Amino acid sequence: MADVVLFHHIQGVTPGIVAFADELRAAGHTVHTPDLFDGRTFASIEEGMEFVDQQQWQSWLERGIAAADALPGNAVYSGFSFGVTSAQKLAMTREDARGALLFESFIPPEWFGEWTPSIPVQIHGKEDDEFFAEELPAARAFAAANPGVELHTYTGSEHLFADRSLASYDSEAASLLIGHVLDYLAAL
């Protein structure tokens, strides 16, 4: 079983994030859900962005790293959208990282330095998601250049489609995503 650090999206630790973590827990994994927003949740992406923009992006990344420092190592770092920044940085820089699960976002690795993954990585997103679509070419190139990277794309344009507490929830795509994730975690 794996230890998973799951970073929330721009709307905070919503009931859908908790439900996603609970699905992984039900399969026997230990899941930590650091709350970078100190209990705040937002009704929309725009409201969350307004809150996040009150501080520099670097400070949010530092909060994510500090949250992970308080948790056991040897973890799989995962995140939804906004949370991918912390998850990907930790997966790239922690020698004891076991893997990375990147949902609905992908940061070009050169933002954080050189990264040729020695850990298994999964990237998930909707092909026509206005946020993910612009990152998709970099994700495709990264997956093509690194055999340990799996890229899973889904039909549609909904962002945050795996959060069952949001109107953007797509149960069919979310079911496929969780199946891929559980297979990935079982293989570690």
Side-chain angles (χ1 to χ4, degrees), residues 1-5 29-32 72-77 98 185 188:
M1 294 300 116
D3 276 316
V4 179
V5 179
H29 305 289
T30 301
V31 183
H32 309 276
N74 200 31
V76 173
Y77 295 102
R98 287 187 69 193
L185 292 172
L188 291 179

Side-chain angles (χ1 to χ4, degrees), residues 109-151:
E110 55 272 12
W111 282 27
F112 302 123
E114 185 76 24
W115 189 32
T116 303
S118 59
I119 57 172
V121 177
Q122 278 191 350
I123 305 166
H124 297 264
K126 290 239 178 161
E127 293 174 352
D128 296 318
D129 168 352
E130 66 177 301
F131 301 102
F132 185 67
E134 65 186 51
E135 300 164 351
L136 187 52
R140 282 189 171 125
F142 187 68
N146 295 284
V149 177
E150 297 175 32
L151 174 62

Side-chain angles (χ1 to χ4, degrees), residues 2-19:
D3 276 316
V4 179
V5 179
L6 176 63
F7 290 100
H8 60 80
H9 52 65
I10 198 76
Q11 290 180 249
V13 180
T14 61
I17 290 293
V18 173

